[in-house]
Amino acid sequence: KLGGNLPTSPNQADTEKELAETKSIVNQIGIEKLIDLPRMKDPNSLAALEIMKVIIPPTGMINPLLCMLMTTSATKLSINHGNSAISPYIYSCQSLFLATTDLKACCQFSELALELLKQFDDKEADVKTLITVGAFVHHWKYHLKDCIPFVRSAYLIGLEIGELDGVAWGIFHENHFRYFIGENLAELEERLTRGSQILQQVKQNLLLNHNQRVRQIVLNLIGQNSQATEICGEVYNEIQALETYQVAQDRASMCNLYTHKTILFYLFGNYQQAVESARLAASLIDSIFSRYIGVPVYFYQSLAELSVYLSQPKNEQELISKKVQSNQEKMLNWANNAPMNFQHKYDLVEAEKCRVLGHKLEAIELYDKAIAGAKKNEYLHEVALANELTAKFYLDWNKEKVAATYMQE
C-alpha cells in the first residue's frame, strides 16, 4: 500500500484534495530540500515504488485521475521514507500533474528529478525520468527544441539496456517535437521513415502507429495525398485507427488524432470542420496530461473559432468569445513562463480577435508582433501562418499591395 487506500474510481474532488495535502507537506519542507532526504530503506516502501514504476504509465492512459492519486501518494511515500532510485521518476510524474495549476512547482519538481538522477545508478529509472521531463514538462520553461536532448538520451539509454518502451517513446517524441518546431518537411519525412522502421523492428506497435500518423500528415503537407485533410494514405488510415482507439478506450490517441485533424482542416481552409474537430480534441484534453500536443488544441481551436466568428449569429459569437478568452488565459499563463514557445501564439490569436471586432490598428500591431516573435524563436511554420493571416487581413481591407508584401514573406 502507498500509505493509505486509493479509490478505484476517483473524482476531481479526490484528486484536488490529494494534491492540496501533498502541496502542504512539500511546502513545509521545500521542493529544493527533497534532494537531501535520506535513502529509502523500508522494504515495503521500496516494493510499493517498484509497483508504481510499472503501473503509473498504463494507468495514465485509461484513468488519469487515478494515475494522479498514485503519483501524489508515491511522492508522499518518498518524503516520509526517503529517496530511492525510483524517486526521480515519481518526482517527474508529480511535476507533470502540477503543470496546469502551478508552473513554478512543476518546473521545480522536474529539476529536482533530473538532479536526483545523479545520486543513483539506475538506467531504467533514467529512461522513464528523461521521457517524462522531456515530453511532459520541459517545454513549460524552455524552448521546445531543448526538449529533444532529453527524449533522445532516453532513446539511446533504452537501446543500451534493452528498455524498448524508452526507445519507442524517445523516437516518437523527438519526431513529434521536430514537427511542431516546423522543421523542413522533406527531411522530417525521412526521419519519420527511419523511426518507423526501428519501431517495427522492436515491435512497438502503438508508437509505430503514432509515428506513422505524423508521417502521413507530413506526406499530405508536401503534396503526396490528393485529400490533404484526410489522414488516410500509404502509411496511415485514420478511420481504422479511430476504431482501434475507441475499442481500446485510448482517449489520448483519439485526442492526438483530432488535434492533428484540426490543424489540417484549419491550414487548408476548412474552418467549420476545424472547429468541430477542435471541440472533440478539447473534450479529451485531460488524457494527454501536460504534453505539448495540448498547446495546438487551444491555439488552433481559437484560430478556427475566430475564422467562423463573423458568419455566426450573435449568441454563437458570444460563446466563441468566451471559449477564445478561456484559451487565451491559458496561453498567456504559459507565455509568462516560456515566452519563446507561447507569446507569438497568444499575439496571433489576439490579432485575429481584433480583426473580427474591427480594431484595425490594434490588429496591425499584434500581427507584426506575432510574426517577429515566431521569427525570433525559429518557429518558421508559424512565421508563415502569421504572415498569411496578416495578408488576408489587408486583403479584406482592400490593401492589396501591403498584403502582397506579407504573402511574399
Side-chain angles (χ1 to χ4, degrees), residues 93-137:
C93 291
Q94 185 69 33
S95 72
L96 74 88
F97 285 119
L98 290 167
T100 57
T101 59
D102 190 341
L103 279 177
K104 181 180 178 181
C106 162
C107 295
Q108 287 178 319
F109 262 107
S110 70
E111 290 164 4
L112 166 68
L114 293 173
E115 193 64 28
L116 191 59
L117 281 180
K118 301 173 184 177
Q119 295 187 12
F120 298 93
D121 183 18
D122 187 325
K123 291 188 175 181
E124 184 181 356
D126 289 353
V127 170
K128 290 181 176 295
T129 304
L130 290 168
I131 287 290
T132 306
V133 171
F136 291 87
V137 180

Side-chain angles (χ1 to χ4, degrees), residues 49-59 89 124 128:
L49 288 189
E50 284 288 346
I51 294 171
M52 288 300 102
K53 180 179 70 173
V54 175
I55 66 174
I56 281 176
T59 303
Y89 172 57
E124 184 181 356
K128 290 181 176 295

